[in-house]
Amino acid sequence: MGVSKSDAILIVGGGAFGLSTAFHLAQKGYTNVSVFEKDDHIPPRYSAANDLNKIVRAEYEDPFYTDLTIKAIAAWKTPLFAPHFHQTGFLHCVSGDAPKEAIDTLNRFRASAERNSQIKPHVSALDGESDIRQTCWQLDGPLPGWKGYFNRFDGYAHSGNALAGIYRAAQAAGVRFFLGEQGAVDEIVYVSTVNGRKCAGIRTKNGRFHSSALVIVAAGANAGRLVPQIGQQVVAKSWSVAHVQLTDDETSGLRGIPVTYARDLGFFFEPDPKTNLLKLCPMGGGYINTDPRTGVSLSPESLKESAFVPEEDEKQMRKLLAQTLPSLADRPLVKKSLCWFADTNDSDFIIDYVPNLESSLMLLSGDSGHLFKMFPIAGSWVTDLLEAPDNKQALARWRWKQPDPNAGKDWGGAVSWRLGESKEFSAILPPKASKL
Ligand SMILES: Cc1cc2nc3c(=O)[nH]c(=O)nc-3n(C[C@H](O)[C@H](O)[C@H](O)COP(=O)(O)OP(=O)(O)OC[C@H]3O[C@@H](n4cnc5c(N)ncnc54)[C@H](O)[C@@H]3O)c2cc1C
Ligand SMILES: *[C@@H]1O[C@H](CO)[C@@H](O)[C@H](O)[C@H]1NC(C)=O
Ligand SMILES: *[C@@H]1O[C@H](CO)[C@@H](O)[C@H](O)[C@H]1NC(C)=O
């Protein structure tokens, strides 16, 4: 067993992993839980989940994650989470120009959906333009060569609102929150013990030390700054996000459309009724920010540096619109940014104690760009680990892995469900505006 229910537990990061963990710890009767978040409000601007929406799709190529998502979707339908979950369905296709790799991936997803007895009844084939338009008449573009399937079991979650909702629920359950200057964690503090070393707490930017029995680092793409021991197991990576600003009538006209995804072009969501924004994401191999001295990719320190999208991604998002919702294809793209997450080479999460510290420091990382759908249940994996009799992560795939010194630098692009190779952030930076 790890800590006792009254021990001080400090969670670093008020994003998806951190808030879900705080909530589940409080539910399980842990009474001295605090969350440290560097932004001065939740949802934090630095969180990859500070967003209008994230896909919640149950079918994974790997049935392990399919089973987890089925549990997560059941939890999304409970009163605390239900306001943020929208089961609009998932229109999952490839365009006529898709490379074989994208078609193969689509087929694996489809086979996974059809293999699962709970999902299968919700799946129907989309063999071309007319099937697609019967499923969603609003898609009035040419849909050239589009085919795939529609899955009514899936949908999306309003991730920013879900974070805010669980923040309030965790506060009400007694979790303490330190935000802004008080919540920005500068370092993990270690002490020597008879057996070696352990974590004694954290120091925040304002110089204050907080002692603890356990520190749980849930710092997203920033994990490597606080826990450099992680090395290249986790790579900070980003994808482009952009939006089209719609009118009230346009938003209303697109109400209820499914999450629409062409594996080779990217995806978009039903517009958000509050802001009238339609969110687009072109996906792809993503962008990494490798420190040439260490070979480790870390997310840039400021949000400003990521407030753009590369030209080629913008082109691809316009192509996606031209094929589906052509009246929007030439509209300005607004609120552009690169969204940073923590990637592993096999897309498995890391939910484990950092080795050789007497179970005093835990890392929740490696979200690999697919964690948010698990938001309602992710914290329960932490309470499971805290209750493990030998302090050992029972699931080998979520363990801390010893870094492989021979691993190639750019492995992340080769993950099957992404198309294309990763590029360096330094290579896509927009030219600096000249100072007059
Ligand atoms: C473009 C894009 C699209 C995505 N789409 C999907 C999707 O469709 N479906 C899906 O399931 N998932 C999706 N994801 C993934 C999902 O957003 C992430 O898996 C999830 O947000 C990761 O949660 P996290 O808690 O690990 O990190 P985050 O949510 O990023 O939270 C980390 C938090 O730690 C804080 N922090 C960092 N350092 C410190 C410090 N030193 N002190 C204090 N606080 C600190 C940050 O401010 C931040 O709030 C997407 C991600 C991206 C980038
Ligand atoms: C929580 O733990 C801290 C650090 O050990 C301690 O100072 C504080 O009194 C504890 N609070 C409660 C409510 O037990
Ligand atoms: C991923 O990296 C780990 C070490 O961190 C290594 O053991 C494993 O073989 C790698 N897996 C793949 C698929 O490359």
Side-chain angles (χ1 to χ4, degrees), residues 12-18 36-39 44-51 53-56 60 163 183-186 218-223 226 237-241 267 269 279 281 283 339-342 364-365 367-374:
V12 184
F17 254 139
F36 292 78
E37 166 53 53
K38 69 178 176 182
D39 205 352
R45 287 164 303 162
Y46 305 93
S47 164
N50 175 37
D51 204 345
N53 35 46
K54 300 289 181 195
I55 304 174
V56 178
Y60 268 85
L163 293 183
V185 175
D186 246 359
N222 212 18
L226 288 172
K237 186 174 282 183
S238 60
W239 285 315
S240 295
V241 175
F267 56 91
F269 297 81
K279 182 184 127 183
C281 179
M283 282 295 286
C339 167
W340 291 87
F341 61 100
L364 311 181
S365 188
D367 71 280
S368 301
H370 68 99
L371 176 77
F372 195 77
K373 61 180 72 62
M374 313 285 187

Side-chain angles (χ1 to χ4, degrees), residues 26-48:
Q27 295 285 302
K28 280 267 183 175
Y30 291 87
T31 55
N32 198 346
V33 178
S34 307
V35 174
F36 292 78
E37 166 53 53
K38 69 178 176 182
D39 205 352
D40 56 12
H41 60 274
I42 290 176
R45 287 164 303 162
Y46 305 93
S47 164

Side-chain angles (χ1 to χ4, degrees), residues 27-282:
Q27 295 285 302
K28 280 267 183 175
Y30 291 87
T31 55
N32 198 346
V33 178
S34 307
V35 174
F36 292 78
E37 166 53 53
K38 69 178 176 182
D39 205 352
D40 56 12
H41 60 274
I42 290 176
R45 287 164 303 162
Y46 305 93
S47 164
N50 175 37
D51 204 345
L52 294 175
N53 35 46
K54 300 289 181 195
I55 304 174
V56 178
R57 54 125 173 108
E59 63 274 33
Y60 268 85
E61 293 172 66
D62 181 342
F64 170 81
Y65 287 103
T66 305
D67 293 345
L68 285 179
T69 310
I70 288 172
K71 279 192 204 155
I73 288 179
W76 276 113
K77 294 177 180 171
T78 61
L80 186 59
F81 295 98
H84 314 298
F85 178 56
H86 305 283
Q87 204 165 18
T88 54
F90 183 41
L91 193 150
H92 198 188
C93 285
V94 286
S95 85
D97 287 340
K100 180 176 180 303
E101 205 188 338
I103 299 167
D104 289 348
T105 303
L106 179 81
N107 288 337
R108 283 193 299 270
F109 274 102
R110 181 173 175 171
S112 153
E114 287 175 345
R115 223 172 18 238
N116 186 290
S117 61
Q118 280 182 72
I119 303 176
K120 189 176 191 300
H122 304 272
V123 177
S124 46
L126 300 173
D127 288 324
E129 193 192 324
S130 101
D131 279 3
I132 294 172
R133 242 187 293 281
Q134 279 202 17
T135 304
C136 180
W137 59 268
Q138 288 97 329
L139 300 178
D140 56 356
L143 300 163
W146 278 51
K147 33 171 151 0
Y149 66 91
F150 181 59
N151 186 353
R152 266 175 218 83
F153 192 77
D154 300 337
Y156 72 92
H158 192 308
S159 50
N161 287 353
L163 293 183
I166 296 331
Y167 167 47
R168 288 190 296 270
Q171 259 184 327
V175 174
R176 264 169 305 165
F177 283 84
F178 296 83
L179 304 179
E181 279 272 288
Q182 302 187 340
V185 175
D186 246 359
E187 58 171 346
I188 309 290
V189 178
Y190 299 93
V191 288
S192 305
T193 66
V194 282
N195 301 318
R197 216 161 71 111
K198 69 179 229 179
C199 166
I202 58 168
R203 197 177 315 280
T204 49
K205 215 157 223 128
N206 61 359
R208 227 185 116 187
F209 169 71
H210 296 262
S211 75
S212 63
L214 174 70
V215 170
I216 301 176
V217 174
N222 212 18
R225 287 190 206 280
L226 288 172
V227 186
Q229 302 94 305
I230 190 73
Q232 297 199 13
Q233 277 182 78
V234 164
V235 172
K237 186 174 282 183
S238 60
W239 285 315
S240 295
V241 175
H243 305 79
V244 181
Q245 181 71 63
L246 304 182
T247 63
D248 285 346
D249 277 355
E250 286 168 337
T251 296
S252 184
L254 293 176
R255 187 176 297 163
I257 63 166
V259 177
T260 299
Y261 194 154
R263 294 220 66 85
D264 50 317
L265 296 175
F267 56 91
F268 59 84
F269 297 81
E270 170 181 40
D272 173 51
K274 262 246 164 77
T275 57
N276 289 344
L277 290 169
L278 178 139
K279 182 184 127 183
L280 295 146
C281 179

Side-chain angles (χ1 to χ4, degrees), residues 233 345-346 401-404:
Q233 277 182 78
N345 63 353
D346 44 18
K401 295 172 192 100
Q402 284 317 319
D404 175 0

Side-chain angles (χ1 to χ4, degrees), residues 9 24 214:
I9 302 179
H24 279 271
L214 174 70

